[in-house]
Amino acid sequence: MPAGSMAGAAVRLNKTPSAVSHALARLRERVGDPLMVKVGGRMQASPFALQLIEDVRPILGSIMRVLKLPEPFGPKSSTRSVRIACPISTKVLSTGRAVHRDRPHRRLTRVGTAGQRS
C-alpha cells in the first residue's frame, strides 16, 4: 500500500478510513487472505496481495483506457473537416472564408442544396 496506512489510502481514494477498512474486510473474507498486515506500525501487502496486484493492474489499466473521456473539442486547435450544407448565400461564403483565414489548416467544404460541392 503506497499510502502506508488506512487513513492515507482513504485520502487517496477519497473515502473515509472506515469505508476503506470495511471494503478491505469484505475483500479479505472473499479471498481468504489478510491482504494487508501491520509491519512496524505500517500496513504492508501480504504475498498473496502482491501477486493479486500484479495480476489485476493490467486489467485496471485496460478499464481506465476504455473509460477515459475523449479530449474536449477545441475549435481553435481542431483539424477536423467541417462540411456546411445550405443554399448558396453570401453570408455562408464569407463565413467560410473567415474560418479558412483564421484556421488555414482546417478543411471547410460547402455542399449546395442540389448536392454540388463548391
Side-chain angles (χ1 to χ4, degrees):
M1 176 182 299
S5 69
M6 287 292 180
V11 168
R12 187 169 178 202
L13 295 169
N14 198 26
K15 301 288 180 193
T16 64
S18 177
V20 171
S21 181
H22 284 94
L24 184 58
R26 289 189 304 273
L27 191 54
R28 283 176 171 148
E29 186 178 315
R30 180 87 170 157
V31 298
D33 188 86
L35 297 175
M36 302 300 294
V37 292
K38 205 166 209 168
V39 177
R42 296 182 64 82
M43 299 301 287
Q44 188 174 32
S46 70
F48 177 79
L50 292 172
Q51 183 60 52
L52 187 63
I53 290 167
E54 234 178 89
D55 293 343
V56 171
R57 185 168 279 143
I59 296 166
L60 291 176
S62 294
I63 292 170
M64 296 289 281
R65 277 190 302 280
V66 168
L67 296 178
K68 184 179 177 187
L69 295 174
E71 292 295 320
F73 177 72
K76 289 186 177 184
S77 61
S78 174
T79 57
R80 295 179 184 174
S81 294
V82 177
R83 179 174 288 175
I84 300 173
C86 60
I88 295 174
S89 101
T90 307
K91 189 173 217 171
V92 171
L93 292 175
S94 64
T95 301
R97 282 191 289 273
V99 167
H100 184 70
R101 182 185 62 242
D102 293 343
R103 303 284 172 251
H105 60 279
R106 184 170 297 145
R107 185 170 159 237
L108 181 67
T109 306
R110 189 194 61 76
V111 180
T113 54
Q116 297 175 331
R117 293 182 182 204
S118 59

